[in-house]
Amino acid sequence: MQDIKHNSFTGMTLLKQLIKKRCLNNQNIVNLICIDTDNEDSFVDVVKGSQSPAKSFIKLFPYVPETIEEQSVFVTMQSGVTQVNSSAVKTTSLMIYIFAHEQLMDMLQGVRTDLLAGYIDEEINGMTDVGFGRLELVSANEFNPIQDYYGQVLEYTLQDHNRIGSKL
């Protein structure tokens, strides 16, 4: 990861980068994004890590493609400030959108986006790498971002620094 100049939004940037890195290093997540068969048990592992083909399907912003030539699976993120608690503390939210073409949804083990949501939540819920306290899941809901695509949106909260240094 590149060095990021620290400011009051640095935590959100770092959090999204860490989540992408964790997703790319999780074989189950990478396979569900890259493999279009309907049985997890028959998956042949896809390359994981920074060279994974899943890298282009995990976005650090709330991406929704306008046109899609191939049926795909996406994991995108959006962050914001939900409450300013004091000059030193704020509550931030992180939304993770997991969506797939309807033809990829049904699998022998369940719904592809539900499976992905479970693996992602297992990977990140309770993280303490950024901010202070723990990243906590507060809601999960189904959504339909564009025609023929369905998925899950996971919402997490995290306490973080509102102002830093001499601006306190």
Side-chain angles (χ1 to χ4, degrees):
M1 267 186 268
Q2 291 186 36
D3 287 338
I4 296 174
K5 184 177 186 223
H6 289 280
N7 61 47
S8 60
F9 284 86
T10 301
M12 287 187 250
T13 302
L14 290 172
L15 179 62
K16 290 190 281 187
Q17 288 176 334
L18 281 168
I19 290 170
K20 183 172 184 173
K21 184 177 180 180
R22 284 189 178 195
C23 287
L24 289 172
N25 285 313
N26 182 303
Q27 194 68 64
N28 293 318
I29 293 170
V30 167
N31 287 348
L32 282 166
I33 291 171
C34 295
I35 299 173
D36 63 3
T37 62
D38 68 354
N39 184 357
E40 260 188 298
D41 294 335
S42 69
F43 285 177
V44 175
D45 288 345
V46 174
V47 173
K48 62 181 187 172
S50 63
Q51 301 303 310
S52 174
K55 185 176 184 177
S56 60
F57 296 98
I58 302 174
K59 306 288 187 185
L60 302 181
F61 56 96
Y63 175 78
V64 177
E66 287 186 32
T67 58
I68 303 173
E69 295 183 18
E70 290 184 28
Q71 298 171 353
S72 303
V73 178
F74 295 93
V75 176
T76 69
M77 298 175 227
Q78 179 177 3
S79 59
V81 176
T82 57
Q83 183 177 354
V84 176
N85 306 46
S86 71
S87 63
V89 178
K90 67 182 173 220
T91 302
T92 60
S93 69
L94 174 72
M95 308 293 281
I96 299 180
Y97 302 94
I98 305 159
F99 56 101
H101 189 274
E102 67 182 336
Q103 296 295 319
L104 300 175
M105 294 291 280
D106 287 327
M107 298 185 63
L108 294 175
Q109 291 79 10
V111 177
R112 184 179 300 266
T113 53
D114 292 349
L115 295 169
L116 264 170
Y119 290 132
I120 291 170
D121 183 67
E122 192 176 283
E123 192 66 46
I124 69 170
N125 198 352
M127 276 178 60
T128 58
D129 305 72
V130 177
F132 45 89
R134 296 184 180 282
L135 184 68
E136 294 184 7
L137 179 69
V138 293
S139 70
N141 293 291
E142 293 180 345
F143 82 119
N144 171 231
I146 54 177
Q147 185 176 339
D148 299 331
Y149 277 75
Y150 301 91
Q152 287 281 342
V153 57
L154 308 177
E155 181 179 9
Y156 293 86
T157 61
L158 176 70
Q159 298 291 307
D160 201 358
H161 302 280
N162 185 31
R163 296 186 197 145
I164 56 173
S166 63
K167 295 188 177 194
L168 281 175

